Amino acid sequence: MLEEIKGPKDVRKLDGDQLAELAEEIRTFIVDSVNASPSGGHLGSNLGAVELTLALHRSFHSPHDLILWDTGHQAYVHKLLTGRHAEFTTLREAGGMSGYPSRAESEHDFIENSHASTVLSYAHGMATALDLGDGPKRHVVAVIGDGALTGGMAFEGLNNIGNSGRRVITILNDNGRSYAPTASRLGDSLVKLRAHPMYRRNTARIERLVRDLPGGEVLERGWDSATHALREMFEPPAFFEDLGVSYLGPLDGHDIDALETALTTAKEMDRPVVVHVLTQKGRGYAPAENDPVKHLHDMGSVKEGSYTDAFSKAIVAEAAARPEVVALTAAMPDSIGLLPMMERFPDRVFDVGIAEQHAVTSAAGMAMMGLRPVFAVYSTFLTRAFDQVNLDVGLHHLPVLFCLDRAGVTGNDGASHHGLLDMVLLTKVPDMVVFAPSSYQELPQMMGDALDLCDGPAAIRWTKTAAPHVGPDEVGSGLSARCTRADEAADVCLIGVGKMLAAAQDAADRLADEGIACTVWDPRVVKPLDAELLTDAARHHLVVTIEDGLREGGVGSAIADSLRDLAPVGGPDVRVLGVPVAYLPHGNVDVILADLGLDADGVVAEVTAWRRTTSNQTG
């Protein structure tokens, strides 16, 4: 059946038995597609959203009606129902289908939403624009779930939607990872009552009657108080209604008929409404249903020997040695490597949900009171809380350690998940110390050094790709850089930041075969820069810096500025290799880096081009 679904109109033609058959076929297809994809994908959240997505596309007419997804990783079923069945063979591969909604892929994708908790703000803005226009009536439907309602921005959007009274239908896809009002037989009966047209007509009639009576304002306030009190007694949804948002639910998110009935009711309401649906993450796939931690949210895990594995072991060791060490995570204790610490020190690990800003300022409060907080977070998500890093931690010179996973070019998740901004931003925070390990063994060394030596903010950033393993003589210490290849006669100095040290070393080997001697440095600490590294680099004719962050305003730019200060006349030429200011697509990490010239080939090409230029000038 799935191959015959070319668009939402095909879904609206199906009867109940056909929908049930299609739902099972979709689940099988998603499991097979994600398991077959070399790039993996998000599994559990999509398996839980099958019936909900079917009901949405039967109840609304996309793209005329705007169906928005938060977070976007729960939109695989939406993609299938909007004609992208064939594209799943290229899921998350270079040039293939994105793992998130993509405006370039389909007119049914309105927002490219992979950072959570933003959809209600989008919806508020879109509903406002529609109200101010004179076009045909269109529904704005915001699907928020998989923990996204734990983010503060979601509540800001919800508050403004309620205050505006604009017609936004919010679907709260509650799979146990977000706000969950009590579900009970009472709740089930109440939702049926509220959804019944006669109940709504009679309620409106009573309200008009009370309003028209002598002293109607006082009576109306009394009526409101009475109904409010009853809601407080019997209905947790009073939270939403106090914000000016009507509530329908909780509903069985796997009952298509019940969902369609509630959505029909929501469409008729001339005010904002939340439709609360309870879904089972990983539904229909036993390995996901039996995964107690994340219900196979994705197919990733902490790989033995990776940088994340090094962090996971190091944070447990530091916590065992230092009772003041605590850890924070923003809804990602598993993929960030904190589960072992949670098991050993359950009272010293805090999962704050998708709330990075809160995590940073909470860590600041902990540090003020004598703790040593470690906030473990993906690089791309820390940028959501830069103001808090700068002013709540930095301004107070607090010893918070930021451990940034997935820094640099990350690959399959695309533009929103590349960690390209962390070095540019963090190096601009006064007194911030920023470490960049080049090997598995460097990471625990840096964590210990950060806790021992830094009385203010510090950060360690590492990549998603495999970590080189080195011997004890190849590990630095403190805040010092490390020269990995020394040659007094060398004209060229290569400085490889973090994982890019490997490209610098490989390039140096190849250039040596061509008769070009190179010095190679691992800076280890990119802020503050080691004076010995700078002094040695200044004696060369060419300095090439290589980093997997933005070139403009990054580490290479800081090195170039420092070398100009050291040798304002006659100093070395400096070539800064890094990522351009652009949104990089998803794809294989090594291929993306090679395309950007951030591999050994790119470094060799830069040096040989400089050599030709200087030879022509002297000739």
Side-chain angles (χ1 to χ4, degrees), residues 437-457:
S438 59
S439 69
Y440 183 97
Q441 287 72 22
E442 281 277 17
L443 200 154
Q445 175 68 43
M446 290 177 173
M447 181 173 290
D449 289 341
L451 293 170
D452 283 336
L453 304 176
C454 299
D455 61 357

Side-chain angles (χ1 to χ4, degrees), residues 63 99 167 172 181 228 245 272 293 319 343 466 482-483 541 568 581:
R167 295 175 60 257
L172 173 51
H228 178 85
V245 180
V293 177
E343 292 171 4
R482 188 173 65 89
C483 184
H541 292 115
V581 178

Side-chain angles (χ1 to χ4, degrees), residues 1-248:
M1 289 180 65
L2 190 52
E3 295 180 7
E4 299 173 5
I5 303 297
K6 307 302 182 184
K9 66 179 184 301
D10 297 324
V11 180
R12 292 192 285 270
K13 299 174 183 176
L14 305 180
D15 61 28
D17 290 340
Q18 290 172 316
L19 287 172
E21 181 183 342
L22 178 60
E24 292 310 307
E25 189 175 333
I26 287 172
R27 284 194 169 89
T28 300
F29 179 84
I30 289 176
V31 170
D32 291 345
S33 296
V34 172
N35 285 328
S37 172
S39 304
H42 291 90
L43 190 61
S45 50
N46 287 291
L47 296 178
V50 174
E51 288 84 5
L52 171 60
T53 310
L54 287 167
L56 283 169
H57 277 296
R58 285 169 59 83
S59 301
F60 298 95
H61 290 73
S62 178
H64 175 77
D65 294 326
L66 291 71
I67 301 177
L68 317 173
W69 297 90
D70 186 355
T71 62
H73 63 231
Q74 61 181 328
Y76 286 16
V77 186
H78 163 78
K79 291 189 175 218
L80 285 172
L81 300 185
T82 52
R84 283 170 273 181
H85 172 270
E87 282 81 352
F88 268 78
T89 57
T90 64
L91 177 64
R92 290 159 50 93
E93 294 182 13
M97 189 173 73
S98 169
Y100 299 97
S102 170
R103 290 164 65 90
E105 281 182 13
S106 173
E107 62 179 348
H108 297 279
D109 293 0
F110 292 93
I111 54 176
E112 303 187 16
N113 201 21
S114 54
H115 281 198
S117 310
T118 61
V119 74
L120 297 180
S121 298
Y122 279 117
H124 175 264
M126 292 177 175
T128 300
L130 291 174
D131 275 359
L132 295 178
D134 56 2
K137 179 179 177 181
R138 301 172 70 183
H139 295 287
V140 178
V141 185
V143 186
I144 184 166
D146 216 26
L149 202 60
T150 62
M153 187 175 173
F155 289 101
E156 295 171 20
L158 186 65
N159 180 54
N160 277 274
I161 289 171
N163 186 61
S164 71
R166 300 196 192 282
R167 295 175 60 257
V168 172
I169 299 172
T170 299
I171 310 299
L172 173 51
N173 179 17
D174 183 356
N175 59 15
R177 263 58 181 170
S178 57
Y179 178 82
T182 303
S184 64
R185 290 185 179 179
L186 173 63
D188 189 44
S189 63
L190 286 172
V191 68
K192 291 177 180 176
L193 174 64
R194 280 193 303 269
H196 197 284
M198 184 176 294
Y199 167 82
R200 292 187 295 105
R201 285 196 299 270
N202 287 340
T203 300
R205 189 160 56 94
I206 292 171
E207 288 174 351
R208 286 196 305 271
L209 178 62
V210 168
R211 198 178 304 120
D212 293 339
L213 288 172
E217 288 187 14
V218 176
L219 290 172
E220 187 176 12
R221 285 198 297 272
W223 169 263
D224 287 343
S225 297
T227 54
H228 178 85
L230 286 170
R231 288 201 312 270
E232 290 289 351
M233 288 174 60
F234 297 115
E235 299 184 58
F239 165 78
F240 293 104
E241 299 192 352
D242 284 344
L243 292 176
V245 180
S246 295
Y247 175 91
L248 295 175

Side-chain angles (χ1 to χ4, degrees), residues 321-464:
R322 308 172 195 254
E324 69 276 14
V325 168
V326 296
L328 299 93
T329 175
M332 307 188 80
D334 46 351
S335 54
I336 208 74
L338 281 177
L339 289 183
M341 183 175 174
M342 292 182 81
E343 292 171 4
R344 184 162 176 188
F345 304 105
D347 295 335
R348 292 164 61 187
V349 180
F350 308 97
D351 185 351
V352 302
I354 302 176
E356 294 86 359
Q357 292 174 307
H358 163 68
V360 173
T361 305
S362 178
M366 294 176 184
M368 285 177 173
M369 303 307 292
L371 296 177
R372 291 303 302 271
V374 177
F375 180 30
V377 63
Y378 285 8
S379 169
T380 183
F381 295 135
L382 183 70
T383 58
R384 308 183 78 185
F386 178 69
D387 184 70
Q388 287 69 31
V389 172
N390 184 38
L391 297 180
D392 298 343
V393 173
L395 183 63
H396 294 90
H397 193 72
L398 295 169
V400 176
L401 176 58
F402 301 97
C403 288
L404 310 185
D405 202 332
R406 271 67 163 180
V409 175
T410 56
N412 303 321
D413 283 316
S416 62
H417 277 56
H418 294 305
L420 305 178
L421 287 169
D422 58 270
M423 288 192 292
V424 172
L425 294 174
L426 294 181
T427 55
K428 308 306 181 292
V429 177
D431 301 323
M432 174 74 75
V433 178
V434 182
F435 297 84
S438 59
S439 69
Y440 183 97
Q441 287 72 22
E442 281 277 17
L443 200 154
Q445 175 68 43
M446 290 177 173
M447 181 173 290
D449 289 341
L451 293 170
D452 283 336
L453 304 176
C454 299
D455 61 357
I460 309 172
R461 54 102 63 188
W462 62 84
T463 179
K464 181 181 179 180

Side-chain angles (χ1 to χ4, degrees), residues 427-569:
T427 55
K428 308 306 181 292
V429 177
D431 301 323
M432 174 74 75
V433 178
V434 182
F435 297 84
S438 59
S439 69
Y440 183 97
Q441 287 72 22
E442 281 277 17
L443 200 154
Q445 175 68 43
M446 290 177 173
M447 181 173 290
D449 289 341
L451 293 170
D452 283 336
L453 304 176
C454 299
D455 61 357
I460 309 172
R461 54 102 63 188
W462 62 84
T463 179
K464 181 181 179 180
T465 49
H469 288 243
V470 300
D473 59 332
E474 297 178 84
V475 179
S477 64
L479 304 184
S480 300
R482 188 173 65 89
C483 184
T484 69
R485 186 185 188 115
D487 191 328
E488 289 298 323
D491 281 341
V492 178
C493 177
L494 305 179
I495 302 174
V497 176
K499 71 165 284 182
M500 304 313 295
L501 176 65
Q505 291 173 320
D506 291 348
D509 290 340
R510 290 173 49 182
L511 289 166
D513 293 339
E514 298 177 19
I516 303 174
C518 297
T519 300
V520 179
W521 278 89
D522 176 0
R524 298 188 67 253
V525 180
V526 297
K527 186 194 177 189
L529 291 166
D530 186 358
E532 183 180 352
L533 177 154
L534 296 171
T535 300
D536 184 69
R539 69 177 177 83
H540 295 78
H541 292 115
L542 172 67
V543 175
V544 179
T545 68
I546 313 105
E547 62 195 292
D548 58 344
L550 290 185
R551 181 173 61 235
E552 294 184 21
V555 178
S557 296
I559 291 172
D561 287 346
S562 298
L563 291 176
R564 277 193 292 270
D565 292 339
L566 277 175
V569 178

